[in-house]
Amino acid sequence: MALALFIGVGAGFGAIAFRWLIRQAGLLFSGHIDYAATPGAAHPWFPGLGMWFLVLAPAVAGLVYGPLVQRFAPEARGHGVPEVMYAVAERGGHIKPQVSLVKALASALCIGSGGSVGREGPIVQIGAALGSAWGKLTGLPRQRLRVLVACGAAGGIAATFNAPLAGPFFAMELILQSFTAEAFGAVVLASVTASVIGRAVMGNEAFLSLPAFRVHSPFEFLLFALLGVLIGASGVLFGKVLYTVEDLCDRVWRGPEWLRPAVGGLLLGALLLVLPQMYGVGYPIFDRAVSGGYAIGFLLLLMIGKMLATSLTIGIGGSGGVFAPSLFIGAMGGTAFGMLAQDLLPGMGLSPGAYGLIGMGAAFAGATRAPITGVIVLFELTGQYSIILPMMLALVVATLVSRTISKGTIYTTKLRRRGIDLESRHLRGRLPDRTAGTIMEALPEKLSTDTTFREASEALAHSSDAVLPVVDAEGRYQGCVTAHTVAEALEGEEYPEGEIGALAEPVPTVRSTMPLLDTLEVLVEAEGTGLPVLGPEGGEPVGWISHQALLESMHTTATLR
């Protein structure tokens, strides 16, 4: 807890320093604190160039941070959060200490020169590296080191966005991917400490000024659900575009990696020349969009433009986060949806800006599948309790859409492409490297297909399982019968005529050679407390595997490790 407090202090001051670096880089490369507030303006130092300085700014910055990243910390390239997730899951929380400094400098130069990325990925990696460094310095075991890494990430998010609640949930839901009382207490302490320091220096204002929110009619909840479907799918599309552009850049580029950001920066600059609103994070564009400052067509153009600009920034080797771009995409798409709904339903008094607000969370949930963090972030941005119900509905729908149409998230896909499946590895770390046949138990009483309903109900009543296998006269497996099925058959009469074979249902089968991870997936989907285990070639059941046996095996493995 003392280290969590100390890391919170470091993360708070790190967030302050990082924002100062972005501000100075912005003044250097564009002549403005945030060029997105005045898109299309000339650089005050070079007024004769007009907007053409936009072509050179990303290239010049890339010429500086490209060699810096390549030489000292290659993992500082990209959006940062996947690297932290991997360090926590697979490396026991070990992150090289120089990552903090290199990531801060590279990301500040990238964002300040026009890179269309966010600052949350860098600050997560900066805070996480700080937590890892102090954990290793004090010699803490791997499990506590992971928690300190999460403390640094939580503190960075809390201080950067002035969101002390969002920090812990981001760390627990995305970095640790688990909730424990001990870890939650530590990350909350770090988050609160960082937030207090951030507010003392940078003020108590949220980083976005959003409109007041009010639900005008219960009918609007149908619109919020539809918004969750459309914008959740847009969040998934953002991830697809990101990695498609990155793959394209990898195929096209044949030069040294340190030169890639500079050469690619010319292409990014050309895009900024056409759509200067894509410069940097783009917070001023948020405000103007949800306030009704853009037409529907231009909002959709900004939405697509952000996907391309962010993807290109990452693809050429830039450094920055995808959290804020996903909010940007949701704000543009949600506001456009709200304006269209307002035109089609003029009598309902809809507020397009409110739909932009909900869209921000839906796009984030669709891209990351972190609905809890999304709800908390948007609640802290507005401070309005009235947002909770529509936000929860839209984010849950967006998360379901994301799970339906995509295997990974915008964070885990980067690791999947390297052959790293964190979800599978998390389970494999708790399951022994064995098969179902090694932990199966003796087969419970088998029911033959000609068993009467009376005999079957008595057998199920005396069995510890809510399901029993059914075999034919030759002993071949025919399926299972559950207590629930028999109870339904007995409803209305004591013991109906007939045999239990008529109620035997085919259920997912487990073979004795099946790995325990695959066995777990089958058990989760099956009704009852266990399943019969068939031999390698099928046929007659040779044993029984239950949820309890699998859980005991997992517990034994975790204890030994």
Side-chain angles (χ1 to χ4, degrees):
M1 287 298 173
L3 282 172
L5 182 67
F6 187 77
I7 291 168
V9 172
F13 282 113
I16 294 168
F18 182 51
R19 290 182 65 172
W20 180 86
L21 285 173
I22 295 175
R23 179 189 179 105
Q24 299 309 309
L27 288 171
L28 174 64
F29 287 103
S30 72
H32 299 79
I33 295 175
D34 192 338
Y35 186 76
T38 56
H43 196 302
W45 298 355
F46 312 103
L49 290 177
M51 288 178 57
W52 287 95
F53 80 93
L54 292 172
V55 178
L56 297 175
V60 173
L63 201 57
V64 177
Y65 70 76
L68 179 69
V69 170
Q70 184 66 21
R71 174 66 178 84
F72 296 104
E75 59 267 51
R77 184 184 295 111
H79 45 108
V81 174
E83 283 72 18
V84 177
M85 294 169 67
Y86 177 71
V88 168
E90 296 296 318
R91 303 184 61 203
H94 288 271
I95 302 174
K96 292 191 292 188
Q98 65 265 33
V99 169
S100 290
L101 182 58
V102 174
K103 188 70 175 181
L105 293 173
S107 298
L109 289 169
C110 183
I111 296 171
S113 64
S116 193
V117 284
R119 60 194 185 204
E120 87 296 330
I123 196 59
V124 164
Q125 203 167 8
I126 292 166
L130 177 66
S132 178
W134 279 104
K136 288 187 288 186
L137 186 65
T138 53
L140 290 183
R142 291 167 65 95
Q143 188 60 35
R144 293 184 180 271
L145 183 58
R146 293 187 182 100
V147 175
L148 291 187
V149 169
C151 287
I157 288 289
T160 298
F161 295 127
N162 193 15
L165 282 175
F169 283 99
F170 182 93
M172 302 293 287
E173 194 172 18
L174 288 171
I175 304 301
L176 291 178
Q177 297 186 2
S178 64
F179 287 80
T180 64
E182 180 184 24
F184 188 70
V187 296
V188 165
L189 182 60
S191 178
V192 169
T193 304
S195 186
V196 168
I197 291 174
R199 291 184 178 191
V201 177
M202 298 180 288
N204 198 28
E205 297 298 322
F207 77 99
L208 285 176
S209 300
L210 298 169
F213 180 87
R214 185 166 67 90
V215 177
H216 295 272
S217 166
F219 175 76
E220 281 196 78
F221 284 95
L222 295 177
L223 295 177
F224 294 135
L226 179 58
L227 180 68
V229 172
L230 296 176
I231 304 302
S234 298
V236 176
L237 177 62
F238 174 39
K240 302 292 185 184
V241 172
L242 175 69
Y243 292 111
T244 299
V245 172
E246 190 171 2
D247 286 341
L248 181 61
C249 292
D250 288 341
R251 285 197 298 268
V252 171
W253 181 249
R254 291 293 180 268
E257 282 300 312
W258 64 266
L259 190 58
R260 181 167 163 172
V263 177
L266 294 172
L267 186 59
L268 176 60
L271 177 59
L272 295 176
L273 194 63
V274 176
L275 204 59
Q277 289 82 2
M278 297 298 101
Y279 197 106
V281 184
Y283 291 139
I285 308 300
F286 279 86
D287 290 333
R288 187 169 180 183
V290 298
S291 300
Y294 299 121
I296 295 177
F298 192 66
L299 286 169
L300 296 177
L301 177 62
L302 291 174
M303 178 181 175
I304 296 171
K306 194 66 174 180
M307 291 185 188
L308 293 176
T310 301
S311 301
L312 183 58
T313 303
I314 299 295
I316 65 174
S319 180
V322 296
F323 185 120
S326 68
L327 297 183
F328 186 103
I329 289 165
M332 302 304 119
T335 304
F337 179 92
M339 293 175 70
L340 181 61
Q342 186 182 47
D343 291 341
L344 296 176
L345 303 168
M348 290 190 61
L350 303 180
S351 173
Y355 285 83
L357 178 63
I358 302 294
M360 291 167 63
F364 174 75
T368 66
R369 293 183 203 156
I372 299 175
T373 301
V375 170
I376 297 298
V377 167
L378 271 297
F379 174 69
E380 287 195 283
L381 291 181
T382 61
Q384 301 176 57
Y385 183 75
S386 58
I387 194 179
I388 294 296
L389 290 180
M391 181 62 70
M392 290 174 66
L393 173 62
L395 266 66
V396 166
V397 170
T399 303
L400 291 174
V401 168
S402 176
R403 288 190 177 276
T404 301
I405 64 179
S406 176
K407 290 184 178 180
T409 71
I410 200 168
Y411 293 139
T412 60
T413 297
K414 183 173 184 179
L415 299 175
R416 279 175 176 267
R417 287 153 56 87
R418 300 177 186 170
I420 302 167
D421 187 346
L422 289 186
E423 294 181 359
S424 175
R425 289 189 177 209
H426 177 70
L427 282 174
R428 290 187 190 278
R430 299 184 62 191
L431 286 170
D433 188 18
R434 294 157 64 187
T435 61
T438 62
I439 66 167
M440 67 181 182
E441 304 165 335
L443 194 68
E445 179 182 356
K446 291 180 288 187
L447 302 177
S448 63
T449 52
D450 58 358
T451 301
T452 65
F453 280 89
R454 176 187 292 276
E455 293 170 334
S457 61
E458 290 177 353
L460 284 165
H462 291 91
S463 172
S464 60
D465 297 288
V467 57
L468 290 176
V470 178
V471 296
D472 62 14
E474 285 75 31
R476 292 189 298 266
Y477 175 65
Q478 301 297 309
C480 287
V481 64
T482 66
H484 178 71
T485 303
V486 173
E488 286 184 340
L490 294 176
E491 187 175 355
E493 51 184 310
E494 186 175 358
Y495 292 107
E497 296 295 329
E499 298 174 343
I500 205 67
L503 298 182
E505 300 176 352
V507 297
T509 56
V510 174
R511 300 292 179 92
S512 59
T513 54
M514 185 178 289
L516 290 187
L517 179 61
D518 299 331
T519 303
L520 175 62
E521 294 177 356
V522 175
L523 277 172
V524 167
E525 298 296 328
E527 183 178 354
T529 58
L531 287 174
V533 179
L534 307 184
E537 304 299 327
E540 185 177 352
V542 296
W544 187 262
I545 189 165
S546 64
H547 293 82
Q548 184 63 33
L550 194 56
L551 288 172
E552 288 176 356
S553 177
M554 293 170 64
H555 176 72
T556 301
T557 303
T559 301
L560 290 174
R561 292 189 178 187

